[in-house]
């Protein structure tokens, strides 16, 4: 096991090497031109300049805020829906059996084809992006909660009954914690999909947000803008992922460390 | 059967039978439509306050018998009575220490022990006080804040014991509770169990595959044959004086005599059982 300081140092070295390579390939001429034409690949310097400009003039904040709101709403609505329906299906096998093919059908559908429909239904604003994110988050949470309720250890369940729990108490002390733990174990995935839904939605038609920013830059062949948008988006995702890790550590203290399979 | 005292109703001064199996049999339906006869019609009676060990090879149906005594499922034929009342549904008078891990992984040790009171509606502060007292009794007073995965196998079994006993059940069902533990820990746990049991003498049905453990702990040792169609092939009274210390009682000549006697019969009966199942 590597200690943290060394790990971070190595990670930073990877970033420096990648940026240095990018810089060399786009600025140092081989023969008469650089290997990668800056028109298509921009340069680290231009991209950094663009990012600094966005933040110093403050134009970026509005876009970040919009994307954040869309992501959070998609996550919350999708999760609540997924938990409720997952729980309901798991406790009502008949309903689960009846709806099974339809759930599979809906989940197999590439969500991107829904984007134009959502734009028609909900307009160009936040709502259509939230809807797209919800369709992604919902199924992840739904499947995990369903699994969580179904996969409660039969011994734990028998123990709970022998300890005198009523149906309602079983819900509260057994099914619910089990379902939530499965849901939390997929937190990184579902939060990630909430952001994907928001950005893809923006990309396909909107007036604000990180996806919109990237689309605008692409429309004018502003490659520095495209790269700057991608970097800001990456940083945004990293920050959110870090926050999720903090939340997860708090909520899943009872889990053995080996159970943390996702990164 | 010649040996032992047969399937008596237990010591008369103990009063009513706590658990009575009357010709109870269990057959499992298999996925292929067939049926697996796990336990043949069996009659067994455990008196109030009696500590009975059930010994048998793995897979003979010991857990299954406990499960029907707990009311988790009914016997395929025959009946189970608890204090002379036919059992229908869960056995509310019994506490059950399971063979597999049964603690709630999302609850701390303290919460795991307190849960039995919690669900009875005991106020939380009071439930936690009593749970803390039980943790101390099983020697884990300082471990209340730990989650099950942070405890050793032996510690988890002790938490399980406290979780069951805090509800003060009249009957205690135990399924190879010390099975996965090392010899040293088994002995400590055995003494702890005897110590706790001696305070109020619950009726205990203690399942194990370890004959020595069975004799050291119990008033009566019941032997089951190998499955399928397992049945009781012997029933011995253990006359060793109480209170006992597990490691000391194993040095007692009477312990060895009984062990030898049971083992002799166990061997021949098991062999007979094999012949019978081979012939039919
Ligand atoms: N649900 C089940 N379906 C089919 N067979 C079962 C089931 N549960 C137990 N058995 C079988 O019944 C027999 C007795 O099982 P069990 O009571 O767990 O044995 P023991 O506790 O003595 O090791 C075993 O042969 C086992 O395979
Ligand atoms: Mg068993």
């Amino acid at each position: 096991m590597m200690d943290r300081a060394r790990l971070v140092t190595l990670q930073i070295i990877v970033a420096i090497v990648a940026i240095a390579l990018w810089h060399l390939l786009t600025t140092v001429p081989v023969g008469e031109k650089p290997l990668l034409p800056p028109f298509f690949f921009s340069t680290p310097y231009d991209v950094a300049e663009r990012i600094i400009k966005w933040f110093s003039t403050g134009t970026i904040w509005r876009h970040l805020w919009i994307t954040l709101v869309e992501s959070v709403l998609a996550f919350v609505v999708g999760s609540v829906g997924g938990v409720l329906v997952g729980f309901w299906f798991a406790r009502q096998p008949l309903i689960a059996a009846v709806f099974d093919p339809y759930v599979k059908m809906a989940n197999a559908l590439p969500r991107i084809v829904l984007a134009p429909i959502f734009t028609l239904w909900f307009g160009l604003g936040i709502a259509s992006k939230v809807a797209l994110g919800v369709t992604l988050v919902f199924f992840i949470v739904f499947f995990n909660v369903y699994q969580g309720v179904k996969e409660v250890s039969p011994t734990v369940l028998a123990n709970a009954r022998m300890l005198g729990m009523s149906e309602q108490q079983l819900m509260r002390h057994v099914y619910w914690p089990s379902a939530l733990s499965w849901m939390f174990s997929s937190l990184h995935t579902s939060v990630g999909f909430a952001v994907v839904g928001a950005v893809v939605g923006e990309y396909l038609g909107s007036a604000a947000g990180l996806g919109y920013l990237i689309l605008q830059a692409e429309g004018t062949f502003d490659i520095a803008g495209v790269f700057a948008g991608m970097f800001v988006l990456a940083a945004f995702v990293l920050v959110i992922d870090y926050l999720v890790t903090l939340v997860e550590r708090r909520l899943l203290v009872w889990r053995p460390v080996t159970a943390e399979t996702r990164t | 059967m010649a040996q032992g005292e047969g399937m008596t109703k237990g010591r008369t001064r103990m009063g009513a039978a706590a658990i009575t199996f009357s010709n109870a049999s269990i057959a499992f339906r298999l996925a292929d439509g067939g049926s697996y006869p796990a336990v043949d019609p069996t009659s067994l009676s455990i008196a109030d306050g009696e500590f009975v060990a059930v010994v048998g090879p793995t897979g003979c149906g010991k857990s299954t018998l406990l499960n029907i005594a707990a009311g988790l499922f009914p016997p395929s034929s025959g009946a189970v009575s608890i204090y002379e009342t036919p059992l229908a549904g869960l056995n509310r008078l019994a506490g059950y220490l399971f063979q597999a891990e049964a603690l709630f992984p999302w609850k701390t040790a303290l919460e795991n022990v307190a849960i039995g009171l919690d669900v009875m509606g005991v106020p939380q502060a009071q439930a936690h006080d009593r749970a803390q007292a039980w943790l101390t009794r099983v020697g884990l007073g300082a471990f209340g804040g730990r989650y099950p995965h942070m405890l050793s196998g032996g510690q988890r079994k002790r938490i399980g014991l406290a979780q069951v006993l805090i509800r003060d059940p009249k009957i205690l069902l135990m399924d190879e509770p010390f099975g996965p533990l090392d010899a040293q820990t088994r002995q400590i746990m055995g003494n702890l169990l005897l110590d706790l049991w001696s305070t109020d003498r619950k009726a205990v049905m203690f399942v194990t595959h370890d004959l020595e453990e069975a004799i050291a702990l119990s008033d009566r040792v019941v032997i089951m044959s190998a499955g399928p169609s397992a049945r009781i092939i012997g029933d011995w009274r253990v006359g060793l004086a109480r209170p006992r210390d597990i490691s000391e009682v194993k040095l007692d000549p009477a312990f060895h005599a009984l062990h030898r006697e049971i083992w002799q019969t166990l061997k021949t009966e098991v062999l007979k059982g094999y012949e019978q199942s081979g012939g039919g």
Side-chain angles (χ1 to χ4, degrees), chain A residues 162-226:
Chain A
M162 287 307 292
L163 289 170
M165 286 192 199
S166 63
E167 262 314 291
Q168 237 177 346
Q169 287 165 330
L170 284 180
M171 283 284 174
R172 194 174 130 216
H173 294 289
V174 181
Y175 291 118
W176 183 243
S178 176
L180 281 195
S181 83
W182 277 68
M183 184 201 146
F184 289 139
S185 71
S186 62
L187 210 54
H188 288 282
T189 319
S190 47
V191 169
F193 272 114
V195 177
V196 166
V199 174
V200 169
E202 289 163 0
Y203 190 84
L204 292 175
S206 68
L210 289 179
Y212 168 80
L213 210 58
I214 294 172
L215 180 68
Q216 287 300 100
E218 275 178 4
T220 56
F221 292 102
D222 170 15
I223 304 301
V226 174

Side-chain angles (χ1 to χ4, degrees), chain A residues 152-153 155-166 169 172-175 177-178 181 252-257, chain B residues 70 72 90-92 94-96 98 100-107 115-116 118-120 147 149-150 163-164 167:
Chain A
V152 170
S153 144
T155 315
V156 169
L157 203 55
N159 190 28
R161 293 175 61 207
M162 287 307 292
L163 289 170
M165 286 192 199
S166 63
Q169 287 165 330
R172 194 174 130 216
H173 294 289
V174 181
Y175 291 118
S178 176
S181 83
L252 293 182
V253 274
W254 57 268
R255 279 263 193 125
V257 186
Chain B
L72 288 170
L90 278 192
N91 183 347
R92 297 270 161 218
Y96 193 164
F98 290 83
E101 295 285 343
L103 294 179
F104 305 104
W106 41 81
K107 290 186 185 292
I115 187 70
D118 247 357
V119 300
M120 276 183 205
Y147 288 92
H149 83 269
M150 304 168 176
Q163 183 183 57
V164 167
R167 300 180 72 240

Side-chain angles (χ1 to χ4, degrees), chain B:
Chain B
M1 244 155 278
Q3 79 288 342
E5 293 174 35
M7 287 147 223
T8 55
K9 282 266 177 183
R11 282 162 284 186
T12 42
R13 64 182 169 84
M14 289 295 186
I19 311 173
T20 310
F21 297 88
S22 316
N23 288 315
S25 77
I26 303 113
F28 288 107
R29 194 157 302 163
L30 299 177
D32 62 13
S35 158
Y36 177 82
V39 181
D40 267 2
T42 294
S43 295
L44 173 69
S45 183
I46 295 172
D48 190 24
E50 193 178 27
F51 196 128
V52 174
V54 178
V55 183
T58 308
C60 71
K62 305 182 296 294
S63 300
T64 306
L65 274 187
L66 280 183
N67 285 338
I68 62 170
L72 288 170
F73 53 83
S76 310
S77 72
V80 179
S81 306
I82 302 302
Y83 288 100
E84 260 114 69
T85 310
L87 181 60
L90 278 192
N91 183 347
R92 297 270 161 218
L93 297 178
Y96 193 164
L97 197 58
F98 290 83
Q99 182 172 14
E101 295 285 343
L103 294 179
F104 305 104
W106 41 81
K107 290 186 185 292
T108 61
L110 183 76
E111 288 164 349
N112 261 291
V113 177
I115 187 70
L117 297 181
D118 247 357
V119 300
M120 276 183 205
V122 175
Q124 199 181 49
Q126 196 192 332
H128 278 196
D129 282 351
R130 283 167 64 187
Q132 184 58 45
W134 266 103
L135 282 175
T136 311
R137 284 178 87 172
V138 298
L140 293 173
F143 293 81
R146 297 226 192 160
Y147 288 92
H149 83 269
M150 304 168 176
L151 297 164
S152 72
Q155 289 170 332
R156 285 202 288 270
K157 283 296 176 195
R158 284 196 242 179
I159 300 291
L161 194 57
Q163 183 183 57
V164 167
L165 291 180
I166 198 170
R167 300 180 72 240
D168 195 23
K170 296 196 69 163
I171 297 170
L172 192 51
L173 307 172
M174 304 179 84
D175 195 354
E176 307 198 28
F178 313 144
L181 308 180
D182 60 89
Q184 193 99 28
T185 314
R186 288 174 84 108
Q187 225 160 63
I188 296 171
M189 292 289 295
N191 281 331
L192 172 68
L193 174 62
L194 284 187
D195 195 36
L196 295 173
W197 176 72
S198 66
T199 60
D200 62 351
R201 303 245 166 166
K202 298 177 188 311
V204 181
M205 185 169 167
F206 185 98
V207 160
T208 176
H209 56 249
D210 181 345
L211 182 54
E212 286 195 23
E213 184 176 71
I215 298 173
L217 290 172
S218 61
D219 297 323
R220 235 172 98 201
V221 177
V222 172
I223 307 282
M224 287 178 75
S225 72
S229 297
R231 60 213 163 77
I232 291 178
I233 57 173
D235 190 335
W236 282 265
R237 195 159 297 287
V238 180
L240 301 167
R242 294 194 189 270
R244 298 179 196 161
D245 179 278
I246 307 275
S247 46
E248 278 169 24
V249 85
K250 284 184 181 170
L251 303 174
D252 191 326
F255 177 91
H256 288 280
L258 188 58
H259 188 279
R260 209 170 312 123
E261 187 190 332
I262 299 180
W263 182 238
Q264 280 299 323
T265 319
L266 179 55
K267 254 195 323 197
T268 53
E269 286 286 344
V270 167
L271 284 177
K272 228 187 281 171
Y274 277 131
E275 276 164 27
Q276 274 165 8
S277 63

